[in-house]
Structures are given as structure tokens and as C-alpha cells.
Amino acid sequence: MNYKNAPFSPQIFDQLPGCWGCKDINSTFVYANPEYAKMIGFDNHLDCIGKTDHQMPATTAESAEQYVEQDSMVVETGRTIRVLDIHPYHDGKWRAHLFTKTPWRDHNNHIIGTIFSGIELKDTAVLEVGHWLCRAIGLTKEQQDPSQLKINIKKEDIGLNTRESEVLFLLLYGKKPQYIAKTLGVAVKTIENYVLRLREKFNANSKGELLDLALELGYGSNIPESMLRTQLSIVLKD
């Protein structure tokens, strides 16, 4: 499919912030905006057209199979997904992005591919925004009051080690122990033990309370440095 015949105007969307593009039903690029192409390593964004993720000049090509699986998931289910991507890019810098992948439909509502858009997460403050929105919408004034959470400890007193920080980060992004274990290359039981240790350190009575306390204390505003050395592409659960 030629992007010139596509049911959108790239020139208009290229003015939007962030990186975006679209792929056909076979996960081949139909278009990518200049910001995405520059990040990947192309001088001209039109050079992306007709290529697959396997053919990208950046080391993100190592995750090409995961991208294809994600695209297939969107095409087969007709659902939009969110993906957390952490990779080294063409300039050698590690970056974290939150990508949204949605079905691309023609005028007859048939799915003809996927449209992706991403924003760079210089920190994970987006987590805290969602957290405070949940507290503010549909709750009583008493429930909205952060003091209702029993915070008896300061962030500087918790002292998380590297692995605990990684587990907490993935928990905050909605990942299950089974997936965290696979991602970090350890046993599920090990992750469950880390969760218990985290609950003890935060004095939390449940995993849900652990996550609330972690967000209240600001753990939703940073990505563990150790995770910016490991390539990840994980689908986030609602």
C-alpha cells in the first residue's frame, strides 16, 4: 500500500509531537514520521516505507519478532494495546517510550494494518497522573485526601536494592509475577518473595496497598537505571 493513497494526511500529523507511523497487515512500514525515522537511524523518514522492523538500522531490530507479535495481536483482536519499550537507539542512547498500537481501518471498517504512536518517558510521571486522577474522580473528599493512606515511612528510609526496584517498577506497570519472572530471568517464586519483601518495606497489607503507597511516595516518577540497560518491549495490561 502506498502512503499517498492512504486514508490519512501525513503532512498534517507530522506536526504532532512524538513519533508515529503505520504498518500494513504484514507488519511492513507504510509510513513513519520524521521524528520516528530519526530515532531509528534514517536520514529521510520515507526510507522506512516498505521495510520491516527486522530491517531497521537501530538495535531495536533485536525485538522485531515481539513487534510483529504485537501488531498481529492488534490486527487479530481489533483492540488497541499499550506497549512499554526500552531500547538503545541509533545515537547509542537508551530511551523508554510508551507506544499505543491501534487497528488501522479503511473506509469500509476493514482492518488493513496498525497505527502506532509513542511518547518518550523521560520519567514515569504518567503513572502518578493516573494515580491522582483515580483518587480525584468519583471519590468523596475524605477518600481524596492522601492522608487516608497510612504512610509511616519516608522514601529515603525504604532503601530498595536494584532487583527490588525493578520488580516494583514492573508491578506499577501492571505486570503479573509470571511475566516479571520471565522478563528478569528468575523463578516466579523468587518474584513472589520480592513482592513480600516490598510489602514489608512499605508496611503494606496487600499488593494493592503497596502500589498505592509506592505512588504516593513518588516511585511512579522514575525508571530504575538498571532497566535502561536491558531491552524490553512489553504489552501493558489495562
Side-chain angles (χ1 to χ4, degrees):
M1 179 184 297
N2 191 311
Y3 82 92
K4 294 180 180 179
N5 300 319
F8 60 85
S9 175
Q11 291 75 20
I12 294 176
F13 288 112
D14 282 348
Q15 300 177 45
L16 299 175
C19 49
W20 76 275
C22 53
K23 302 177 186 176
D24 66 18
I25 205 80
N26 298 311
S27 206
T28 299
F29 281 85
V30 175
Y31 190 78
N33 74 335
E35 182 170 337
Y36 181 81
K38 180 180 179 181
M39 180 178 71
I40 290 296
F42 283 115
D43 294 328
N44 189 320
H45 65 113
L46 299 182
D47 290 340
C48 291
I49 297 175
K51 292 183 173 61
T52 68
D53 287 298
H54 291 278
Q55 298 169 304
M56 295 295 107
T59 55
T60 54
E62 295 178 14
S63 299
E65 286 301 323
Q66 290 174 280
Y67 300 154
V68 172
E69 290 177 6
Q70 294 162 8
D71 294 341
S72 296
M73 181 188 305
V74 172
V75 170
E76 292 171 6
T77 66
R79 297 180 59 187
T80 296
I81 62 173
R82 292 183 305 137
V83 178
L84 174 65
D85 273 305
I86 300 176
H87 303 285
Y89 286 90
H90 183 66
D91 58 4
K93 294 182 179 179
W94 284 80
R95 293 185 174 88
H97 285 84
L98 184 63
F99 276 94
T100 298
K101 297 187 177 184
T102 191
W104 179 18
R105 300 178 184 271
D106 62 16
H107 295 300
N108 295 315
N109 205 37
H110 296 142
I111 296 177
I112 57 176
T114 58
I115 297 175
F116 64 86
S117 60
I119 56 172
E120 184 174 355
L121 301 178
K122 297 185 184 301
D123 56 43
T124 55
V126 64
L127 284 172
E128 290 188 340
V129 171
H131 172 66
W132 289 106
L133 279 174
C134 288
R135 295 182 65 86
I137 297 174
L139 301 179
T140 66
K141 290 184 178 180
E142 186 177 53
Q143 288 173 309
Q144 293 175 30
D145 185 354
S147 66
Q148 295 301 307
L149 270 178
K150 297 179 180 179
I151 303 178
N152 301 315
I153 192 170
K154 296 180 180 179
K155 184 176 181 179
E156 55 268 25
D157 296 329
I158 294 177
L160 300 184
N161 61 33
T162 297
R163 185 47 57 89
E164 289 169 345
S165 296
E166 293 171 344
V167 171
L168 180 60
F169 173 78
L170 291 171
L171 284 174
L172 286 170
Y173 264 101
K175 306 314 294 182
K176 303 294 184 183
Q178 292 81 358
Y179 194 97
I180 297 175
K182 182 178 179 181
T183 300
L184 299 181
V186 298
V188 175
K189 184 64 177 177
T190 301
I191 298 301
E192 292 173 345
N193 288 335
Y194 273 116
V195 174
L196 289 175
R197 285 165 57 178
L198 286 167
R199 284 177 53 186
E200 290 177 359
K201 286 194 172 185
F202 281 83
N203 194 26
N205 295 316
S206 65
K207 188 173 78 171
E209 186 174 323
L210 163 65
L211 301 184
D212 274 344
L213 288 167
L215 288 170
E216 293 281 354
L217 290 170
Y219 282 91
S221 292
N222 66 284
I223 301 172
E225 290 186 9
S226 60
M227 298 201 74
L228 290 178
R229 295 193 294 267
T230 302
Q231 290 203 55
L232 291 175
S233 184
I234 55 179
V235 177
L236 306 178
K237 301 297 182 182
D238 295 328

